[in-house]
Amino acid sequence: MGTIHLFRKPQRSFFGKLLREFRLVAADRRSWKILLFGVINLICTGFLLMWCSSTNSIALTAYTYLTIFDLFSLMTCLISYWVTMRKPSPVYSFGFERLEVLAVFASTVLAQLGALFILKESAERFLEQPEIHTGRLLVGTFVALSFNLFTMLSIRNKPFAYVSEAASTSWLQEHVADLSRSLCGIIPGLSSVFLPRMNPFVLIDLAGAFALCITYMLIEINNYFAVDTASAIAIALMTFGTMYPMSVYSGKVLLQTTPPHVIGQLDKLIREAGSVHVRIRRDANEQMVLAHVTNRLYTLVSTLTVQIFKDDWIRPALLSGPVAANVLNFTDHHIIPMPLLKGADDLNPVTSTPAKPSSPPPEFSFNTPGKNVNPVILLNTQTRPYGFGLNHGHTPYSNMLNQGLGVPGIGATQGLRTGFTNIPSRYGTNNRIGQPRP
Amino acid sequence: KKKKKKRKERKFPGSKRGGLTLTKYIVLLCFTKFLKAVGLFESYDLLKAVHIVQFIFILKLGTAFFMVLFQKPFSSGKTITKHQWIKIFKHAVAGCIISLLWFFGLTLCGPLRTLLLFEHSDIVVISLLSVLFTSSGGGPAKTRGAAFFIIAVICLLLFDNDDLMAKMAEHPEGHHDSALTHMLYTAIAFLGVADHKGGVLLLVLALCCKVGFHTASRKLSIDVGGAKRLQALSHLVSVLLLCPWVIVLSVTTESKVESWFSLIMPFATVIFFVMILDFYVDSICSVKMEVSKCARYGSFPIFISALLFGNFWTHPITDQLRAMNKAAHQESTEHVLSGGVVVSAIFFILSANILSSPSKRGQKGTLIGYSPEGTPLYNFMGDAFQHSSQSIPRFIKESLKQILEESDSRQIFYFLCLNLLFTFVELFYGVLTNSLGLISDGFHMLFDCSALVMGLFAALMSRWKATRIFSYGYGRIEILSGFINGLFLIVIAFFVFMESVARLIDPPELDTHMLTPVSVGGLIVNLIGICAFSHAHSHAHGASQGSCHSSDHSHSHHMHGHSDHGHGHSHGSAGGGMNANMRGVFLHVLADTLGSIGVIVSTILIEQFGWFIADPLCSLFIAVLIFLSVVPLIKDACQVLLLRLPPEYEKELHIALEKVLYTWWRAPVVPATWEAEVTGILKDAGVNNLTIQVEKEAYFQHMSGLSTGFHDVLAMTKQMESMKYCKDGTYIM
């Protein structure tokens, strides 16, 4: 085989790599448009920031941050193109699809942090209200609004479109939906525009522009400078409301939670597969079982590994390692090891079995539910004498476990579980030793 | 009274037959509310001449007289026990206090604003409070209504430049008629708001009191035998209560009223419109109509008529309505209509309309699971069944215990407390000395505290047990929180950078004399934090402790991720240093410290040499420093979140996989012990749990036989094969 350069150290500099990847993306025609918009966005943001400092209006600043958020969303779009082109590398063995999720998360969080900053600034402004010059206020508003809307509507931003669809509704959307429901009672034709829910980005752009228009009006009429601060707070709160559900959604993906829409189906399918695992005999064809299980689950779980243990009447000593008699008749084809790093625990198949129905797969990236599912381990337990197997397997194992738990600083190993986090619910100390087997 | 009502019924015959009775009552209600507005405007004029306690006394006297006449509370109904008399006495006291507040608010901010603020029905206020203070508000519409209400009050507070405000603000504290009004005035002056704004706040308070009062007196009214009887008795008792006070007042102070005789007519109108008619019509309408409808139709006319009168009261058109001051025709500028009032009136009308509409409850169910068919099952029971109520002290105690259990959260918590203490001292001192710089610095500290709070929550949550949704546990929350903290710091660095660039171009003159003590205080607090955090940090590393030098530490924990190339088994015992969360918090504290140091250095430079350029240069430097210190944190957190292979394990895994391949090639016909062998090899590399899927020809045949979507599976397998180039037949998932 020779030497395999599995984990070659990167030799290029950071910028060189960045440039290379950028060239890769720029080769695509679709990304040209995004780049063009990004350049326009930068120019536009520069002008807006200038106007912000000349008008001294914090509401316009809050609105400008939405434009900056647009820039981030364009970047996310580029990243999603790049992700589709990249193959999984040895180090990032799961591929780069999560980068898209991370980009969405980061940009929504950044928008919220900007809003937090606006809140802090406006709290200071309430104490000492500076004078606002309305000269460029309306111009800035309409430049930002038209640019934002133009970007939103002309670029098909796949990740954000998906997140805004899948995340729960923001309070702004809820109110608009509630209002427009009564409006559509009067004019039914509008329901296609407003219901069931509007695009949150379009909504917040419009609402922010509306708040700025009111600000302009009131300052022009009666020099109510405090309106500027109030509408800045309103825009910041709307930003929070819009971004929060999305960052929660993408954060949940990053935390490897089970997507709620999969749970029910998955439970059902696992239960069906579970019925297989009860019935098979010792001499059952494990390839048949494998096929059945895969057939049930592959619609939900894109990467699935099934390991089959065939137990004999005499239970092999699992942990001492030398013999696992009659485990697999190995001939050819694929081996897919799913390794798990040493956490505090290493569970043998006996104890891992009950974990199965209660731990559906986590979501790996958007729209690919349960990419790294925990292995479904099938035991043909019918053929095994229960009490014996349990005792035998159990006693040495718990010793092992205690050793593992005795290690200090277990919590710190969390960061090292990358790429191998395949067995759910086993982090830390909650093992399922004592649970009865099905 | 009965006669009058009949007259009205004849006067407004219903236009439609179907809604005849309802329309009749609605019109009656509208008319009454209109008259009530008239009465309140009248009483404002009266209150200019008559002392407030005397005014309330006369009002109560007249009302009690009428009601005793109509209701005959002593001759009819069952007898009232002694216990009930005590309750009625309490009721009367509360009623007196509320009307005192109400009319005092009226003198402060005029009839228009009083009507807008005080004339809300109970149902509106109750649903407002339930939106504000309970989680089950009843949908977005109610929330909107509550927001409108608050906006309306804020409009009155902020955007209503009442012309009288300036006049009232400068009034001397001496000339108040009584000790009571003087006390209230001093209370408002203590709050530091103008009188008319104080009146707004007072009226909001009085409104809440009124609603509570009505709710509390409901039971008593049933006991006594009807709300009308209770009202009559309560008015009577309050007349007796106020009687001695009024006598003392009229003896000690000379009255401003020339002739009481000319006031009989205005008092009669006020008594009749404000107290009696309103009470009776309200009680009738609440019987005949739904409460929500009653509230909705009642609020609209009263606000509109308040607005109209606010504009036209001093105008000659309303001469017929006015019983008082007919002669004096001076153009009054008190409490006139302003833009803010109109806007807030609109908002009040909207919110009253929304909040009084019946709520659609029970829409929200909790997901309890899935049926065997895969359809979700919801529980529509009330929240009361779900949550066992927990008392607040107990909750605080429990969470404190949780926080103090582990060292990370304990440290963050202590430091947070210290920081908050410093912030509040700063804010308090700033308010006391009226220094804007201090207050804004306090806000800045609060802003920073939010990062600490997030770190604390993450440290707490990371210990939660894994759930069905969070099937991997909550461990990664710490990494996520570290990531967010890193982004936070980048944002801060960005803002500092922008600010300092702007100042470089145009360096402002600084007032430095307040900066030094504050920044020294902040520096001390932050140094304590750094010492605490880095103590734990260096302890985990076994490095030298006690040195609080910042760059040393930021460097060392940057390095640690790569330096730990030891054997996989030993890694757990090394502790791994700080987790991402603690690193984020630590860096935050570090950035604050740098900020304080920067301020001190630049202050010294400015004071010694007059280099105003030093301030932006310092902040520029700090911004760059913050950014550079955050980059490794963000990079590491990103790698973990992207599920990268841990760098420490790369080499071992590589070797282990090579070994596996070697076993594979050594024996094409795999022996039975192969699996154990592979497990052993990978275990040496630190991989403890692995799953092996063996696919043979038969598997693909079965799959093609089983499923229609076999191509998907084939594609899946193809995807695995795509990794062949780097792994040579072995796939790592």
Side-chain angles (χ1 to χ4, degrees), chain A residues 98 267 303 333 336 338-340 342 408 412 416 418 421 425, chain B residues 468 471 569 572 575 641 644 648 686-691 695 733:
Chain A
R98 280 171 79 95
D267 273 0
T303 308
H333 279 102
I336 303 155
M338 285 191 90
L340 176 82
K342 183 190 271 301
L416 310 165
T418 39
T421 48
S425 325
Chain B
R468 206 176 141 73
S471 51
H569 295 281
L641 289 176
R644 186 192 192 275
E648 306 86 280
V687 178
N688 274 336
N689 216 320
L690 71 156
T691 312
E695 295 169 357
M733 297 306 296

PDB file of all heavy atoms in Angstrom, chain A residues 98 267 303 333 336 338-340 342 408 412 416 418 421 425, chain B residues 468 471 569 572 575 641 644 648 686-691 695 733:
ATOM      1  N   ARG A  98     -21.575  21.450   7.520  1.00  0.00           N
ATOM      2  CA  ARG A  98     -21.897  22.209   8.736  1.00  0.00           C
ATOM      3  C   ARG A  98     -21.354  23.624   8.695  1.00  0.00           C
ATOM      4  O   ARG A  98     -21.791  24.469   9.455  1.00  0.00           O
ATOM      5  CB  ARG A  98     -21.335  21.488   9.961  1.00  0.00           C
ATOM      6  CG  ARG A  98     -22.194  20.363  10.400  1.00  0.00           C
ATOM      7  CD  ARG A  98     -21.496  19.574  11.458  1.00  0.00           C
ATOM      8  NE  ARG A  98     -21.568  20.219  12.749  1.00  0.00           N
ATOM      9  CZ  ARG A  98     -22.494  19.921  13.645  1.00  0.00           C
ATOM     10  NH1 ARG A  98     -23.399  19.038  13.382  1.00  0.00           N
ATOM     11  NH2 ARG A  98     -22.506  20.516  14.803  1.00  0.00           N
ATOM     12  N   ASP A 267     -39.011   7.192  15.361  1.00  0.00           N
ATOM     13  CA  ASP A 267     -39.457   6.273  16.399  1.00  0.00           C
ATOM     14  C   ASP A 267     -40.185   5.091  15.794  1.00  0.00           C
ATOM     15  O   ASP A 267     -39.937   3.937  16.118  1.00  0.00           O
ATOM     16  CB  ASP A 267     -40.405   6.989  17.355  1.00  0.00           C
ATOM     17  CG  ASP A 267     -39.639   7.673  18.450  1.00  0.00           C
ATOM     18  OD1 ASP A 267     -38.412   7.565  18.422  1.00  0.00           O
ATOM     19  OD2 ASP A 267     -40.264   8.311  19.306  1.00  0.00           O
ATOM     20  N   THR A 303     -26.513   8.788   6.507  1.00  0.00           N
ATOM     21  CA  THR A 303     -25.344   7.939   6.715  1.00  0.00           C
ATOM     22  C   THR A 303     -25.660   6.972   7.839  1.00  0.00           C
ATOM     23  O   THR A 303     -25.894   7.381   8.960  1.00  0.00           O
ATOM     24  CB  THR A 303     -24.126   8.770   7.103  1.00  0.00           C
ATOM     25  OG1 THR A 303     -23.976   9.792   6.142  1.00  0.00           O
ATOM     26  CG2 THR A 303     -22.908   7.902   7.147  1.00  0.00           C
ATOM     27  N   HIS A 333     -15.997  -6.917   0.640  1.00  0.00           N
ATOM     28  CA  HIS A 333     -16.771  -5.680   0.685  1.00  0.00           C
ATOM     29  C   HIS A 333     -16.328  -4.675   1.725  1.00  0.00           C
ATOM     30  O   HIS A 333     -15.175  -4.608   2.078  1.00  0.00           O
ATOM     31  CB  HIS A 333     -18.260  -5.981   0.848  1.00  0.00           C
ATOM     32  CG  HIS A 333     -18.866  -6.338  -0.455  1.00  0.00           C
ATOM     33  ND1 HIS A 333     -19.128  -7.635  -0.804  1.00  0.00           N
ATOM     34  CD2 HIS A 333     -19.237  -5.583  -1.496  1.00  0.00           C
ATOM     35  CE1 HIS A 333     -19.655  -7.656  -1.999  1.00  0.00           C
ATOM     36  NE2 HIS A 333     -19.735  -6.423  -2.446  1.00  0.00           N
ATOM     37  N   ILE A 336     -16.906  -0.350   7.475  1.00  0.00           N
ATOM     38  CA  ILE A 336     -17.115   1.039   7.850  1.00  0.00           C
ATOM     39  C   ILE A 336     -17.026   1.143   9.347  1.00  0.00           C
ATOM     40  O   ILE A 336     -18.008   0.985  10.057  1.00  0.00           O
ATOM     41  CB  ILE A 336     -18.465   1.546   7.342  1.00  0.00           C
ATOM     42  CG1 ILE A 336     -18.513   1.370   5.834  1.00  0.00           C
ATOM     43  CG2 ILE A 336     -18.653   2.995   7.707  1.00  0.00           C
ATOM     44  CD1 ILE A 336     -19.889   1.254   5.330  1.00  0.00           C
ATOM     45  N   MET A 338     -17.072   2.815  12.771  1.00  0.00           N
ATOM     46  CA  MET A 338     -17.538   4.086  13.334  1.00  0.00           C
ATOM     47  C   MET A 338     -16.893   4.236  14.688  1.00  0.00           C
ATOM     48  O   MET A 338     -17.387   3.749  15.681  1.00  0.00           O
ATOM     49  CB  MET A 338     -19.038   4.069  13.499  1.00  0.00           C
ATOM     50  CG  MET A 338     -19.756   4.222  12.205  1.00  0.00           C
ATOM     51  SD  MET A 338     -21.452   4.511  12.499  1.00  0.00           S
ATOM     52  CE  MET A 338     -21.500   6.253  12.598  1.00  0.00           C
ATOM     53  N   PRO A 339     -15.788   4.878  14.724  1.00  0.00           N
ATOM     54  CA  PRO A 339     -15.068   4.923  15.989  1.00  0.00           C
ATOM     55  C   PRO A 339     -15.605   6.020  16.906  1.00  0.00           C
ATOM     56  O   PRO A 339     -16.100   7.034  16.450  1.00  0.00           O
ATOM     57  CB  PRO A 339     -13.642   5.248  15.564  1.00  0.00           C
ATOM     58  CG  PRO A 339     -13.757   5.804  14.187  1.00  0.00           C
ATOM     59  CD  PRO A 339     -15.132   5.606  13.667  1.00  0.00           C
ATOM     60  N   LEU A 340     -15.471   5.761  18.143  1.00  0.00           N
ATOM     61  CA  LEU A 340     -15.787   6.787  19.125  1.00  0.00           C
ATOM     62  C   LEU A 340     -14.563   6.967  19.987  1.00  0.00           C
ATOM     63  O   LEU A 340     -13.979   6.025  20.447  1.00  0.00           O
ATOM     64  CB  LEU A 340     -16.953   6.370  19.999  1.00  0.00           C
ATOM     65  CG  LEU A 340     -17.260   7.368  21.102  1.00  0.00           C
ATOM     66  CD1 LEU A 340     -18.102   8.480  20.559  1.00  0.00           C
ATOM     67  CD2 LEU A 340     -17.908   6.704  22.258  1.00  0.00           C
ATOM     68  N   LYS A 342     -12.255   7.898  23.115  1.00  0.00           N
ATOM     69  CA  LYS A 342     -12.407   7.522  24.515  1.00  0.00           C
ATOM     70  C   LYS A 342     -12.961   8.685  25.299  1.00  0.00           C
ATOM     71  O   LYS A 342     -12.296   9.676  25.537  1.00  0.00           O
ATOM     72  CB  LYS A 342     -11.060   7.125  25.096  1.00  0.00           C
ATOM     73  CG  LYS A 342     -11.156   6.645  26.533  1.00  0.00           C
ATOM     74  CD  LYS A 342      -9.811   6.488  27.126  1.00  0.00           C
ATOM     75  CE  LYS A 342      -9.228   5.137  26.910  1.00  0.00           C
ATOM     76  NZ  LYS A 342      -9.925   4.019  27.413  1.00  0.00           N
ATOM     77  N   PRO A 408      -9.935  12.486  36.390  1.00  0.00           N
ATOM     78  CA  PRO A 408     -10.421  13.845  36.627  1.00  0.00           C
ATOM     79  C   PRO A 408     -10.547  14.627  35.338  1.00  0.00           C
ATOM     80  O   PRO A 408      -9.918  14.320  34.334  1.00  0.00           O
ATOM     81  CB  PRO A 408      -9.339  14.443  37.527  1.00  0.00           C
ATOM     82  CG  PRO A 408      -8.125  13.663  37.198  1.00  0.00           C
ATOM     83  CD  PRO A 408      -8.583  12.302  36.841  1.00  0.00           C
ATOM     84  N   ALA A 412     -13.650  18.183  30.301  1.00  0.00           N
ATOM     85  CA  ALA A 412     -12.802  18.856  29.334  1.00  0.00           C
ATOM     86  C   ALA A 412     -12.611  18.037  28.074  1.00  0.00           C
ATOM     87  O   ALA A 412     -12.174  18.555  27.066  1.00  0.00           O
ATOM     88  CB  ALA A 412     -11.458  19.139  29.962  1.00  0.00           C
ATOM     89  N   LEU A 416     -12.928  17.235  22.411  1.00  0.00           N
ATOM     90  CA  LEU A 416     -12.144  16.329  21.606  1.00  0.00           C
ATOM     91  C   LEU A 416     -12.997  15.300  20.911  1.00  0.00           C
ATOM     92  O   LEU A 416     -12.489  14.408  20.281  1.00  0.00           O
ATOM     93  CB  LEU A 416     -11.132  15.623  22.503  1.00  0.00           C
ATOM     94  CG  LEU A 416     -10.357  16.605  23.362  1.00  0.00           C
ATOM     95  CD1 LEU A 416      -9.646  15.889  24.461  1.00  0.00           C
ATOM     96  CD2 LEU A 416      -9.387  17.369  22.499  1.00  0.00           C
ATOM     97  N   THR A 418     -14.794  15.486  18.461  1.00  0.00           N
ATOM     98  CA  THR A 418     -15.105  15.809  17.081  1.00  0.00           C
ATOM     99  C   THR A 418     -15.022  14.593  16.194  1.00  0.00           C
ATOM    100  O   THR A 418     -14.073  13.842  16.243  1.00  0.00           O
ATOM    101  CB  THR A 418     -14.105  16.815  16.569  1.00  0.00           C
ATOM    102  OG1 THR A 418     -12.865  16.445  17.103  1.00  0.00           O
ATOM    103  CG2 THR A 418     -14.467  18.178  16.972  1.00  0.00           C
ATOM    104  N   THR A 421     -18.463  11.587  17.462  1.00  0.00           N
ATOM    105  CA  THR A 421     -19.560  11.682  18.417  1.00  0.00           C
ATOM    106  C   THR A 421     -20.721  10.874  17.901  1.00  0.00           C
ATOM    107  O   THR A 421     -21.708  11.407  17.438  1.00  0.00           O
ATOM    108  CB  THR A 421     -19.966  13.122  18.576  1.00  0.00           C
ATOM    109  OG1 THR A 421     -20.101  13.644  17.261  1.00  0.00           O
ATOM    110  CG2 THR A 421     -18.935  13.889  19.314  1.00  0.00           C
ATOM    111  N   SER A 425     -26.067  10.267  24.126  1.00  0.00           N
ATOM    112  CA  SER A 425     -26.455  10.089  25.522  1.00  0.00           C
ATOM    113  C   SER A 425     -25.401   9.391  26.336  1.00  0.00           C
ATOM    114  O   SER A 425     -25.681   8.804  27.342  1.00  0.00           O
ATOM    115  CB  SER A 425     -27.729   9.262  25.661  1.00  0.00           C
ATOM    116  OG  SER A 425     -28.582   9.520  24.629  1.00  0.00           O
TER     117      SER A 425
ATOM    118  N   ARG B 468     -34.314  13.742  25.046  1.00  0.00           N
ATOM    119  CA  ARG B 468     -34.710  13.129  23.789  1.00  0.00           C
ATOM    120  C   ARG B 468     -34.264  13.963  22.600  1.00  0.00           C
ATOM    121  O   ARG B 468     -33.770  13.438  21.601  1.00  0.00           O
ATOM    122  CB  ARG B 468     -36.227  13.065  23.826  1.00  0.00           C
ATOM    123  CG  ARG B 468     -36.834  12.027  23.020  1.00  0.00           C
ATOM    124  CD  ARG B 468     -38.318  12.118  23.310  1.00  0.00           C
ATOM    125  NE  ARG B 468     -39.033  11.898  22.091  1.00  0.00           N
ATOM    126  CZ  ARG B 468     -39.119  10.720  21.536  1.00  0.00           C
ATOM    127  NH1 ARG B 468     -38.547   9.691  22.095  1.00  0.00           N
ATOM    128  NH2 ARG B 468     -39.784  10.566  20.422  1.00  0.00           N
ATOM    129  N   SER B 471     -29.919  14.608  22.229  1.00  0.00           N
ATOM    130  CA  SER B 471     -29.544  13.234  22.511  1.00  0.00           C
ATOM    131  C   SER B 471     -28.059  13.087  22.786  1.00  0.00           C
ATOM    132  O   SER B 471     -27.624  12.073  23.281  1.00  0.00           O
ATOM    133  CB  SER B 471     -29.956  12.336  21.359  1.00  0.00           C
ATOM    134  OG  SER B 471     -29.481  12.871  20.166  1.00  0.00           O
ATOM    135  N   HIS B 569      -4.833   8.094  26.193  1.00  0.00           N
ATOM    136  CA  HIS B 569      -5.436   7.766  27.476  1.00  0.00           C
ATOM    137  C   HIS B 569      -5.138   8.808  28.523  1.00  0.00           C
ATOM    138  O   HIS B 569      -5.898   9.013  29.428  1.00  0.00           O
ATOM    139  CB  HIS B 569      -4.919   6.413  27.947  1.00  0.00           C
ATOM    140  CG  HIS B 569      -5.349   5.317  27.051  1.00  0.00           C
ATOM    141  ND1 HIS B 569      -6.601   4.786  27.113  1.00  0.00           N
ATOM    142  CD2 HIS B 569      -4.693   4.685  26.047  1.00  0.00           C
ATOM    143  CE1 HIS B 569      -6.708   3.843  26.181  1.00  0.00           C
ATOM    144  NE2 HIS B 569      -5.580   3.769  25.525  1.00  0.00           N
ATOM    145  N   GLY B 572      -7.381  12.615  29.219  1.00  0.00           N
ATOM    146  CA  GLY B 572      -8.472  12.926  30.138  1.00  0.00           C
ATOM    147  C   GLY B 572      -7.950  13.394  31.480  1.00  0.00           C
ATOM    148  O   GLY B 572      -8.495  14.299  32.083  1.00  0.00           O
ATOM    149  N   GLY B 575      -6.869  17.090  32.054  1.00  0.00           N
ATOM    150  CA  GLY B 575      -7.891  18.081  32.356  1.00  0.00           C
ATOM    151  C   GLY B 575      -8.219  18.967  31.179  1.00  0.00           C
ATOM    152  O   GLY B 575      -9.285  19.535  31.119  1.00  0.00           O
ATOM    153  N   LEU B 641     -17.132  22.704  16.234  1.00  0.00           N
ATOM    154  CA  LEU B 641     -18.502  22.722  15.736  1.00  0.00           C
ATOM    155  C   LEU B 641     -18.612  22.112  14.358  1.00  0.00           C
ATOM    156  O   LEU B 641     -19.660  21.602  13.976  1.00  0.00           O
ATOM    157  CB  LEU B 641     -19.024  24.160  15.710  1.00  0.00           C
ATOM    158  CG  LEU B 641     -19.293  24.753  17.086  1.00  0.00           C
ATOM    159  CD1 LEU B 641     -19.708  26.197  16.955  1.00  0.00           C
ATOM    160  CD2 LEU B 641     -20.380  23.982  17.788  1.00  0.00           C
ATOM    161  N   ARG B 644     -14.477  18.529  13.297  1.00  0.00           N
ATOM    162  CA  ARG B 644     -13.170  18.191  12.784  1.00  0.00           C
ATOM    163  C   ARG B 644     -12.575  17.088  13.650  1.00  0.00           C
ATOM    164  O   ARG B 644     -12.892  16.958  14.833  1.00  0.00           O
ATOM    165  CB  ARG B 644     -12.268  19.411  12.863  1.00  0.00           C
ATOM    166  CG  ARG B 644     -10.916  19.240  12.241  1.00  0.00           C
ATOM    167  CD  ARG B 644     -10.032  20.418  12.649  1.00  0.00           C
ATOM    168  NE  ARG B 644      -8.822  20.456  11.871  1.00  0.00           N
ATOM    169  CZ  ARG B 644      -7.742  19.763  12.169  1.00  0.00           C
ATOM    170  NH1 ARG B 644      -7.749  18.972  13.215  1.00  0.00           N
ATOM    171  NH2 ARG B 644      -6.659  19.848  11.415  1.00  0.00           N
ATOM    172  N   GLU B 648      -5.061  16.253  18.170  1.00  0.00           N
ATOM    173  CA  GLU B 648      -4.194  15.390  18.969  1.00  0.00           C
ATOM    174  C   GLU B 648      -4.293  13.939  18.527  1.00  0.00           C
ATOM    175  O   GLU B 648      -3.409  13.143  18.789  1.00  0.00           O
ATOM    176  CB  GLU B 648      -4.591  15.441  20.450  1.00  0.00           C
ATOM    177  CG  GLU B 648      -4.640  16.813  21.056  1.00  0.00           C
ATOM    178  CD  GLU B 648      -5.959  17.467  20.841  1.00  0.00           C
ATOM    179  OE1 GLU B 648      -6.128  17.981  19.722  1.00  0.00           O
ATOM    180  OE2 GLU B 648      -6.805  17.466  21.717  1.00  0.00           O
ATOM    181  N   GLY B 686      -7.275   5.289  20.887  1.00  0.00           N
ATOM    182  CA  GLY B 686      -8.195   6.151  21.617  1.00  0.00           C
ATOM    183  C   GLY B 686      -9.626   6.032  21.154  1.00  0.00           C
ATOM    184  O   GLY B 686     -10.493   6.744  21.627  1.00  0.00           O
ATOM    185  N   VAL B 687      -9.878   5.141  20.222  1.00  0.00           N
ATOM    186  CA  VAL B 687     -11.246   4.974  19.747  1.00  0.00           C
ATOM    187  C   VAL B 687     -11.878   3.841  20.530  1.00  0.00           C
ATOM    188  O   VAL B 687     -11.383   2.723  20.490  1.00  0.00           O
ATOM    189  CB  VAL B 687     -11.261   4.642  18.253  1.00  0.00           C
ATOM    190  CG1 VAL B 687     -12.672   4.427  17.788  1.00  0.00           C
ATOM    191  CG2 VAL B 687     -10.606   5.740  17.482  1.00  0.00           C
ATOM    192  N   ASN B 688     -12.917   4.142  21.209  1.00  0.00           N
ATOM    193  CA  ASN B 688     -13.443   3.138  22.111  1.00  0.00           C
ATOM    194  C   ASN B 688     -14.675   2.435  21.608  1.00  0.00           C
ATOM    195  O   ASN B 688     -14.988   1.351  22.022  1.00  0.00           O
ATOM    196  CB  ASN B 688     -13.781   3.762  23.446  1.00  0.00           C
ATOM    197  CG  ASN B 688     -12.565   3.775  24.304  1.00  0.00           C
ATOM    198  OD1 ASN B 688     -11.677   2.961  24.088  1.00  0.00           O
ATOM    199  ND2 ASN B 688     -12.499   4.688  25.222  1.00  0.00           N
ATOM    200  N   ASN B 689     -15.416   3.100  20.796  1.00  0.00           N
ATOM    201  CA  ASN B 689     -16.662   2.489  20.406  1.00  0.00           C
ATOM    202  C   ASN B 689     -16.775   2.569  18.902  1.00  0.00           C
ATOM    203  O   ASN B 689     -16.802   3.656  18.340  1.00  0.00           O
ATOM    204  CB  ASN B 689     -17.810   3.251  21.051  1.00  0.00           C
ATOM    205  CG  ASN B 689     -18.906   2.321  21.435  1.00  0.00           C
ATOM    206  OD1 ASN B 689     -19.208   1.409  20.684  1.00  0.00           O
ATOM    207  ND2 ASN B 689     -19.489   2.543  22.584  1.00  0.00           N
ATOM    208  N   LEU B 690     -16.809   1.468  18.306  1.00  0.00           N
ATOM    209  CA  LEU B 690     -16.904   1.521  16.863  1.00  0.00           C
ATOM    210  C   LEU B 690     -17.947   0.549  16.360  1.00  0.00           C
ATOM    211  O   LEU B 690     -18.302  -0.421  17.033  1.00  0.00           O
ATOM    212  CB  LEU B 690     -15.561   1.245  16.200  1.00  0.00           C
ATOM    213  CG  LEU B 690     -14.993  -0.147  16.236  1.00  0.00           C
ATOM    214  CD1 LEU B 690     -14.029  -0.308  15.086  1.00  0.00           C
ATOM    215  CD2 LEU B 690     -14.258  -0.355  17.527  1.00  0.00           C
ATOM    216  N   THR B 691     -18.467   0.851  15.252  1.00  0.00           N
ATOM    217  CA  THR B 691     -19.484   0.012  14.649  1.00  0.00           C
ATOM    218  C   THR B 691     -18.971  -0.418  13.292  1.00  0.00           C
ATOM    219  O   THR B 691     -18.442   0.394  12.540  1.00  0.00           O
ATOM    220  CB  THR B 691     -20.779   0.797  14.471  1.00  0.00           C
ATOM    221  OG1 THR B 691     -21.053   1.467  15.689  1.00  0.00           O
ATOM    222  CG2 THR B 691     -21.908  -0.106  14.103  1.00  0.00           C
ATOM    223  N   GLU B 695     -20.903  -5.378   4.363  1.00  0.00           N
ATOM    224  CA  GLU B 695     -21.858  -5.523   3.267  1.00  0.00           C
ATOM    225  C   GLU B 695     -21.312  -6.531   2.268  1.00  0.00           C
ATOM    226  O   GLU B 695     -20.202  -6.383   1.771  1.00  0.00           O
ATOM    227  CB  GLU B 695     -22.066  -4.172   2.585  1.00  0.00           C
ATOM    228  CG  GLU B 695     -22.711  -3.155   3.480  1.00  0.00           C
ATOM    229  CD  GLU B 695     -22.658  -1.764   2.879  1.00  0.00           C
ATOM    230  OE1 GLU B 695     -22.076  -1.620   1.802  1.00  0.00           O
ATOM    231  OE2 GLU B 695     -23.185  -0.842   3.510  1.00  0.00           O
ATOM    232  N   MET B 733     -16.150   6.957   8.943  1.00  0.00           N
ATOM    233  CA  MET B 733     -17.340   7.798   8.975  1.00  0.00           C
ATOM    234  C   MET B 733     -17.200   8.759  10.130  1.00  0.00           C
ATOM    235  O   MET B 733     -16.960   8.390  11.231  1.00  0.00           O
ATOM    236  CB  MET B 733     -18.574   6.946   9.178  1.00  0.00           C
ATOM    237  CG  MET B 733     -18.801   5.999   8.068  1.00  0.00           C
ATOM    238  SD  MET B 733     -18.838   6.832   6.505  1.00  0.00           S
ATOM    239  CE  MET B 733     -20.259   7.842   6.750  1.00  0.00           C
TER     240      MET B 733
END
